[in-house]
Structure formats: C-alpha cells, structure tokens
Amino acid sequence: MQPIFKKTLNLALGVFLGLTVFFSLLPLSTWAATLLNGGFNNPFNDIPGRVWQGQNEKIAGGWNYFYIDANTYPGSGNASKLRWMSSAQFAAAFNGLDYYQEGDQAQNMWSSYEFDGGVYQQVSATPGEGYIFDIDMVTYWRGPGYPDSDGKMVKQVGIDPYGGIDPTSANVIWSNTNSNDKAWINMAVAAAAEATTITVFAKVQAPENNSFNHTDLDMVYFEDARINTIGPPPTTNLNAVANGLSVNLNWSGSPASSWSIKGYEVEYKDQAESNWTTLQSKSGTSTSGNFIGQATHSYTIRARTWQTDGSIDLPGLWVEKSVTINEVVAGQVINHAGLGLSGVTVSVSGWATSTVSANGGFYGLASGPGSFDVVANDFNGFVAPPTTTVAVPTNGVGVLTITLRPTGIDQGISNNDFEPDLSGWNRNDNTAATASTNSSHTGQRSLWISKTVNISQTGAVTGMRNPLLSFWYNSDTDFTVQFLGAGLGSGSIQQQAVSPVQTQTLNSVSGWTHVMVELNASKVYTGDIGVNFSYAGASGANIFIDEVSIATGPYKIYLPVAFKN
Ligand SMILES: [Ca+2]
Ligand SMILES: [Ca+2]
Ligand SMILES: [Ca+2]
C-alpha cells in the first residue's frame, strides 16, 4: 500500500502548492500543516558546537537533531561520537557517493558506536485534525560494503501531538519499527493534533557494532518527508463513576467514514502523581473497566479511540474525565498485629450491598453522606469488632480501621470491647474506670479512665506463640500499660502469680492509635497472662482504651506500626 499511498500524497501536495500561489492572499487553509524542507535539500545549517575533524556538522534547513542519552555513546558526553551531515558533506569527508533520492541533498547521520537519534521538526497544525507524517529512510549497518544485516538498526517515526520536542515523552505516538537494512523504507505515523503545533520525529536506534577500532560506520539517510492531513480522527465517549473505592469506566468510539475501530486506549492517574497507568492499550477492544483508588484521592481518566484503514492507525484526541473518591466509609482491615487482611467483607448494617477488602486490607464502601452502622464479617478464625457508627460528611470520607483478633482459646482475655460494661476486669476504684459511651473506637463504649486507678485482667493460655498485647487508645494524658506474665522462660505449666514483664508509658495522642506490645517471653508460652492499665494523676483525665487483645503475634513485628483514625 505504501508506494501507492505516497504517489497520492505527492499529487495532493502538488495540487496544494499550486493552489497556495493562487490563494496566497487568502488566510491559510485551516487544516494545512507545512513541513519546511521535507526533501532535506540545500541549504544546510552548521550545528553549533558539533565539529568533526575541523568542520561543522550540518542539519538540513528547517530540521533539528536529537539523540536519546540512554541509548547513545557517550550520551552524557554530548553524543560526541554521533554525527549529522549533509549527504554531500559526508561524501566529501569519506570520498564516497553523495547519496540522495530527491532534490539535491539528503540528511546523513552516522556513528561507529551505539546510538539512538535522528531529526525532528515542529509544524503548525489545527487542533483536532488528523495528520500523517511519512519519510524515506535507509540504514547501512557497518557501511555499504558490509552484508545486508536486517534486525540491527531500527527505524521508527513519531508524532508528538502536543508539539513537544522530547523524544522520550510519553506523549509521542510512535510507528511500528522497521529494521530492514540497506533498503529505502517509507515510514509513516498518524496522529490527531492536540495543539496548534505538532512535532514529527524520525529516528534510528543502532547497537554497538563492535568493529575493530570502531572503524565501521553505521550510516543513516533521511529523505523526502511529508506531512498531510488524513481526514478526521475517531471520536471517543468516556464515562467514569466512583462506587466505593472502585472507579467504574465505560467508553465507546466512532471511526471516521472508511475507517474501522482498532481499539481503545485507556489510562488513569492519581492527580497527586505524574505517571499514567495503562488500563488498556490501543489494540484492546473492551469497552469497560475499572480500577481501585484511594479514599479522598482524585483521578484523571483518559481514553482515545484508535481507527485503522488496514495499513495506518490514527488515534483520536484524548477525552478526559475526573473522579474523586469520597462519600465512602473507607479504611483498612487489619489483624491484631497490624497486618492488612484482604478478603474481609465489610458492609453497612441492614444494607444489601457490601465490599471486600483488597490487597493490604484497604476497603471503601459507597455510602453517600450520613451516619452508617459499619460491620465486618468474622474471618479465618478472627472475630470482627462490634458494629460501629461512622459519620460520612458531604464530599468527605468516614474512616474506620477494622481490627480483627483471634478468639476462643486463641484469645487470652475476655470482654475485649467493654460492651456493655467492665465485667471480667478488676479495678481498685469503681468510679475511676468505667465502660463509657463518651468515646469508642468501635462499638458503643470503651474503657474510660478519669482518675487514679489500676484496672487489669488475667487469663490463662496454653501453647501461645509469641504472645502479643494489642489495643487502641485515645488519651489526653500519659498512662502506663503492663503486659503481665508468669516470668521469662519458665516453661512451667504450673499456675504462678503474674507480674509485669513489659511496662510502657503511653503518651497523650490526638486520635485513636493502635498499640502492640510483645511479651518477649519464650517463643511458645503457657501459663497465666494479663494486662494492667494504670493512671496516677489529676482527676478529669480522658484516657479511652478499646479492643484489647492478648493473642499470638507474628514471628516478627516490624515496628513502629501505629494506625490512626
Ligand atoms: Ca532530498
Ligand atoms: Ca535488507
Ligand atoms: Ca468498644
């Protein structure tokens, strides 16, 4: 198809040039994009700062050179082994053929080292219009005298529809590659202009040729480039709606007449970050999808339809949508040791809809604004905390960390949640420690310590590996927690009076905070075990404690692990 196509373009260009003279007093056609010196003919310009054996390297008028540092030797050293010359300059320098196909010159580029570079030009364009850029290119791996070596030097052309000049930009739409050595190849790429300037690139990537003393030159010629309109690009519709943490998407597109749909390219990014994540690449034909975001985060989603005529692919303009994840109950499901639990069902009491915690335990449940009674399912022998009322503000998020803990014989104490009273707990002043509705992490109540007191509970466990005390607290003053055991390494199954094995002072905090304390006893513990909270200070303290657990810990806790909500 390519040769026929090229003739058509030549004809069209000729007609256009004729008309340009005729209509020279009229405003420029709104669709025209004019490439300067597409033939890479004289005059050539010296490239400032690029000198080879006393002569300036040269670039065809209208064009600029570029190279990609990472793939060019020496990329960080101004690519000093990569040269751009006119075909006449190269012929004179090496006593060879002035090799061009059209007009009076071509653009030559050469190196005897690894390179990735080429030429580019910025072109005025009409936003929304579809353009095709094509150019003839030929490579000579290790020079014309070396055997035809397909697969070594890789040709590619690109368009940045935003007019940028960075060949490594993700904005650049690149053609397929061609690595047919020692043959003129017409390369083409199409894009719809996103701005009033677009940039066309033609490049060749060549690996190191390992010739002795770097005597073999890898050569490239650029010749006979054109840019033309190619008719309207496809249109795209995109819908994006958040449901819980899931951003649900669907899209569709319409090709221009005589084109057909190739696929839909869909990407999204967190607006706090710069990188786009690909949800579907250009050949994908699905028309819906979703991704899981984070509560309170805003996302930009973009989609563009690709159409094809069987030989060239033309993408449409990006269509963008913005979505913020809010009006959800959101947080993390963790175990008593602070590790995220995935697969736990979280729901609003009385609602048919629910969600399941994802990787890391993160969950989000679409709620709308209001107050909601949130409950999680028990999971893998872990028991969920009681139903908890969560307030979700308009355009905001209600946060709840849901802590599941071992139960039954795997749990060292009882009445962990202080619902509805302090049964099972021993205190030395009944007025100083109460089960209060003033504050709770989950459920309706927590342990409220308001003045000097000791409150403790002791249980017995058998064969508990690495006992771990954990709880949530929220306090406006310092207090002390003691993890009680029968002594280090006793190994005895006889009942012994417990005593403090670990003592920690907890400081005032500004919100509910998760705490974990290891007993640091024998790896497998059998015997009495317990916890004592004590406060000695002024009356009127607001020390709230909830969800107290003594259960097996992980083999290793990576501290600090503090959760706030
Ligand atoms: Ca030429
Ligand atoms: Ca070949
Ligand atoms: Ca509670």
Side-chain angles (χ1 to χ4, degrees):
M1 179 279 183
Q2 293 293 3
I4 298 167
F5 179 67
K6 197 170 152 189
K7 274 180 193 160
T8 308
L9 288 178
N10 278 331
L11 258 176
L13 190 65
V15 171
F16 171 67
L17 290 174
L19 291 177
T20 303
V21 175
F22 187 74
F23 291 111
S24 60
L25 294 180
L26 298 177
L28 276 178
S29 164
T30 55
W31 47 263
T34 306
L35 201 59
L36 287 178
N37 192 14
F40 297 92
N41 296 321
N42 280 315
F44 271 70
N45 300 319
D46 287 350
I47 303 176
R50 299 199 69 87
V51 176
W52 177 78
Q53 295 198 353
Q55 55 180 291
N56 269 102
E57 297 174 29
K58 291 181 186 298
I59 186 86
W63 292 91
N64 299 282
Y65 72 96
F66 73 89
Y67 60 91
I68 296 170
D69 292 7
N71 304 329
T72 301
Y73 177 85
S76 57
N78 195 34
S80 59
K81 298 295 186 185
L82 178 57
R83 314 291 179 180
W84 287 263
M85 290 183 166
S86 71
S87 55
Q89 182 186 19
F90 183 81
F94 293 96
N95 206 16
L97 179 69
D98 183 0
Y99 194 43
Y100 60 87
Q101 301 284 292
E102 172 276 348
D104 57 16
Q105 291 285 274
Q107 178 71 53
N108 165 274
M109 180 176 77
W110 64 270
S111 182
S112 52
Y113 295 80
E114 177 188 33
F115 66 86
D116 190 359
V119 296
Y120 73 89
Q121 185 173 147
Q122 290 174 293
V123 182
S124 293
T126 302
E129 187 67 49
Y131 294 95
I132 180 167
F133 168 62
D134 80 293
I135 184 172
D136 289 351
M137 299 165 70
V138 64
T139 61
Y140 287 91
W141 173 251
R142 304 183 70 159
Y146 197 82
D148 187 2
S149 301
D150 294 351
K152 293 290 190 184
M153 298 175 73
V154 178
K155 298 180 288 293
Q156 202 169 21
V157 291
I159 295 176
D160 183 341
Y162 297 88
I165 61 170
D166 177 2
T168 66
S169 165
N171 287 337
V172 179
I173 294 164
W174 290 103
S175 67
N176 292 332
T177 58
N178 179 286
S179 59
N180 183 350
D181 191 43
K182 296 179 174 65
W184 281 100
I185 302 294
N186 181 256
M187 302 284 293
V189 63
E194 296 271 7
T196 56
T197 302
I198 62 175
T199 309
V200 296
F201 296 89
K203 81 178 185 81
V204 172
Q205 188 271 323
E208 168 61 47
N209 70 26
N210 291 315
S211 61
F212 180 71
N213 276 352
H214 291 279
T215 47
D216 285 2
L217 311 188
D218 300 321
M219 300 154 49
V220 181
Y221 289 89
F222 301 95
E223 178 61 296
D224 203 11
R226 278 163 299 268
I227 190 160
N228 279 284
T229 53
I230 194 172
T235 59
T236 304
N237 292 305
L238 172 65
N239 299 300
V241 177
N243 185 305
L245 297 188
S246 178
V247 177
N248 298 332
L249 309 167
N250 65 75
W251 51 83
S252 60
S254 300
S257 108
S258 83
W259 294 74
S260 58
I261 297 286
K262 182 183 183 73
Y264 308 95
E265 189 176 9
V266 185
E267 300 180 337
Y268 68 90
K269 76 181 182 76
D270 189 324
Q271 288 175 8
E273 297 169 9
S274 56
N275 286 344
W276 291 93
T277 299
T278 300
L279 199 65
Q280 177 165 288
S281 58
K282 74 177 211 182
S283 300
T285 53
S286 290
T287 55
S288 64
N290 79 301
F291 64 90
I292 302 300
Q294 295 181 60
T296 73
H297 288 225
S298 295
Y299 295 86
T300 301
I301 303 100
R302 65 181 187 180
R304 64 182 173 194
T305 304
W306 285 74
Q307 64 184 20
T308 184
D309 67 359
S311 73
I312 195 97
D313 301 333
L314 173 63
L317 298 174
W318 285 115
V319 171
E320 286 192 356
K321 284 285 157 60
S322 183
V323 168
T324 299
I325 296 177
N326 58 23
E327 297 187 347
V328 292
V329 176
Q332 192 182 13
V333 180
I334 59 174
N335 67 10
H336 62 297
L339 303 176
L341 293 178
S342 59
V344 179
T345 300
V346 181
S347 57
V348 169
S349 181
W351 284 19
T353 56
S354 62
T355 189
V356 175
S357 61
N359 280 347
F362 296 101
Y363 77 93
L365 192 58
S367 61
S371 283
F372 304 94
D373 292 335
V374 178
V375 63
N377 280 15
D378 297 348
F379 180 77
N380 274 3
F382 287 75
V383 65
T387 301
T388 302
T389 302
V390 178
V392 178
T394 300
N395 292 325
V397 171
V399 176
L400 178 65
T401 304
I402 298 173
T403 314
L404 272 58
R405 62 170 178 262
T407 187
I409 59 168
D410 296 323
Q411 178 56 245
I413 56 174
S414 61
N415 190 15
N416 316 70
D417 297 307
F418 311 99
E419 313 276 345
D421 53 31
L422 296 188
S423 59
W425 293 87
N426 303 305
R427 57 206 149 144
N428 59 4
D429 180 346
N430 284 354
T431 65
T434 56
S436 170
T437 57
N438 287 358
S439 183
S440 62
H441 183 252
T442 54
Q444 303 296 313
R445 295 167 190 269
S446 68
L447 167 61
W448 177 29
I449 296 173
S450 59
K451 51 187 181 176
T452 297
V453 73
N454 282 307
I455 176 165
S456 65
Q457 185 182 156
T458 302
V461 297
T462 302
M464 180 176 285
R465 177 173 52 77
N466 190 23
L468 180 75
L469 166 66
S470 63
F471 56 93
W472 285 86
Y473 84 101
N474 189 6
S475 175
D476 62 359
T477 186
D478 296 354
F479 66 102
T480 300
V481 59
Q482 292 174 322
F483 199 174
L484 311 176
L488 292 172
S490 70
S492 167
I493 58 169
Q494 295 179 345
Q495 299 287 301
Q496 299 180 31
V498 292
S499 59
V501 179
Q502 301 290 341
T503 299
Q504 287 192 9
T505 299
L506 296 177
N507 302 121
S508 62
V509 287
S510 58
W512 282 98
T513 302
H514 194 226
V515 173
M516 291 171 286
V517 181
E518 283 183 288
L519 188 64
N520 201 20
S522 54
K523 287 178 182 169
V524 177
Y525 182 90
T526 294
D528 285 357
I529 198 164
V531 59
N532 178 54
F533 297 105
S534 58
Y535 168 68
S539 297
N542 284 300
I543 301 167
F544 297 100
I545 296 166
D546 208 354
E547 298 180 65
V548 185
S549 166
I550 294 175
T552 187
Y555 287 105
K556 173 79 178 161
I557 297 176
Y558 298 92
L559 293 172
V561 185
F563 297 90
K564 298 239 179 193
N565 70 30

